Each structure stands twice: as structure tokens, then as C-alpha cells.
């Protein structure tokens, strides 16, 4: 006989959002938040500060962080450049969030994205710490790196942050 299609199940509750991770920081002006979420099939980074309602689109990307320096908030996030390939970018946000991102790294292979950590010093220099993890046929290789960005947007070369696995403590401040 004829095959009858089974009825589609009715969704229960509110539709789920595909959002996160989130970064939150306070400043004398108030609280600043950034997060990534999927909209129209693509992952985007969003920002909401103490003076922004509703949230403002920063750009395409994922796993953002925010820091607030003397010249205002800066968002750092990953932009996809290929399959498991990303670059780290940053943008200083002005009153009308229309960031022109600067590229902080070249293309980096990573099979797992983690939000970077970002912080400013009193002089306005931005410091960014980030990890990458590469998986292949052997064991995963994880790298922890840091760089800094001057007030004009010039980024230093990426440097390793990880402790020396041999236990050599020179240069670590210990």
C-alpha cells in the first residue's frame, strides 16, 4: 500500500539561539558586551555598550573579546579565511559602530576557536592573548601566543606565551 509520511513534531518552547561566546568588561562609562551569533546563516560579532541600544553589528566572525582603553572600546575577534583557517582582527569602535578592522595575525590553522583575552594599559596599548589548536593525524598541537597593538593600530609580532616545557624559568619573571 501507499507509504504515509509521519507528521513533523511541533517545536516546544521558544526557538533556540545560536549565540556565544560572550565577553563582558566594565569601564567608568558602564558595561560593554560582545558576542557572536548566527544570523541569516552566517556567524557575526555584535557589540552593546552603555550608550548603544539596540546592539550593533561589528562584522562577520566568531569568538570575540572586548577591552576599553582611553580612546574607547576595542573588539578583537576571529575571522574565517578558509576551512579551519582564521585570522585575528581588531576594531576600535566609535560612536556609530562602523569599524574598519585591522589584521593582527596572518592566517592561522585552528580546529577549536577560543575567544582571545584583551586588555589595555594606561597608555592605550592593547594586549591580546590567544590560543590556537591544530588537530591532524597525530596528537593535537596547542599554542598560546600574545601580541600588543599601539594606539595607532600597529601590531607587534606574535610571541609565544607558554612556559618552557623543559622547566627553564629564565625570562618568565619567576
Amino acid at each position: 500500500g501507499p507509504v504515509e509520511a509521519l507528521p513533523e513534531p511541533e517545536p516546544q518552547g521558544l526557538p533556540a539561539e545560536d549565540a556565544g561566546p560572550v565577553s563582558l568588561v566594565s569601564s567608568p562609562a558602564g558595561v560593554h558586551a560582545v558576542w557572536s551569533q548566527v544570523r541569516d546563516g552566517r556567524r557575526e560579532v555584535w557589540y552593546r555598550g552603555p550608550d548603544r541600544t539596540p546592539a550593533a553589528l561589528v562584522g562577520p566572525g566568531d569568538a570575540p573579546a572586548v577591552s576599553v582603553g582611553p580612546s574607547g572600546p576595542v573588539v578583537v575577534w576571529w575571522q574565517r579565511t578558509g576551512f579551519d583557517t582564521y585570522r585575528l582582527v581588531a576594531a576600535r569602535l566609535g560612536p556609530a559602530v562602523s569599524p574598519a578592522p585591522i589584521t593582527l595575525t596572518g592566517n592561522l590553522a585552528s580546529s577549536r576557536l577560543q575567544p582571545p583575552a584583551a586588555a589595555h594599559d594606561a597608555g592605550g596599548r592593547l594586549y591580546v592573548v590567544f590560543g590556537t589548536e591544530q588537530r591532524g593525524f597525530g596528537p593535537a598541537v596547542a599554542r598560546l601566543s600574545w601580541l600588543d597593538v599601539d594606539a595607532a593600530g600597529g601590531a607587534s609580532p606574535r610571541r609565544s606565551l607558554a612556559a618552557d616545557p623543559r622547566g627553564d624559568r629564565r625570562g618568565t619573571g619567576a
Side-chain angles (χ1 to χ4, degrees):
V3 176
E4 291 185 35
L6 296 174
E8 290 289 321
E10 292 288 324
Q12 301 294 314
L14 297 172
E17 284 187 1
D18 182 6
V22 175
S23 176
L24 192 66
V25 68
S26 65
S27 74
V31 175
H32 303 260
V34 293
W35 66 94
S36 61
Q37 71 181 54
V38 173
R39 186 178 70 146
D40 298 328
R42 60 181 235 175
R43 188 156 287 280
E44 300 171 325
V45 173
W46 290 80
Y47 168 78
R48 183 182 303 250
D51 60 344
R52 291 200 170 72
T53 304
L57 174 64
V58 176
D62 199 3
V66 63
S67 179
V68 179
S71 61
V74 173
V75 176
V76 181
W77 73 98
W78 293 102
Q79 280 186 340
R80 180 182 291 275
T81 57
F83 179 76
D84 281 352
T85 308
Y86 304 87
R87 67 180 173 192
L88 199 59
V89 297
R92 190 174 317 281
L93 302 183
V97 181
S98 57
I102 60 167
T103 301
L104 301 180
T105 68
N107 291 338
L108 300 171
S110 188
S111 55
R112 186 176 74 169
L113 282 186
Q114 295 178 0
H120 278 86
D121 66 15
R125 184 171 290 274
L126 174 69
Y127 296 87
V128 181
V129 174
F130 59 96
T132 56
E133 183 178 299
Q134 298 171 355
R135 294 184 184 274
F137 294 107
V141 176
R143 290 193 169 86
L144 191 59
S145 303
W146 72 283
L147 54 81
D148 54 278
V149 183
D150 62 30
S156 69
R158 176 172 60 124
R159 296 177 293 283
S160 176
L161 184 68
D164 186 328
R166 297 168 302 192
D168 185 352
R169 297 168 60 104
R170 287 176 291 174
T172 63

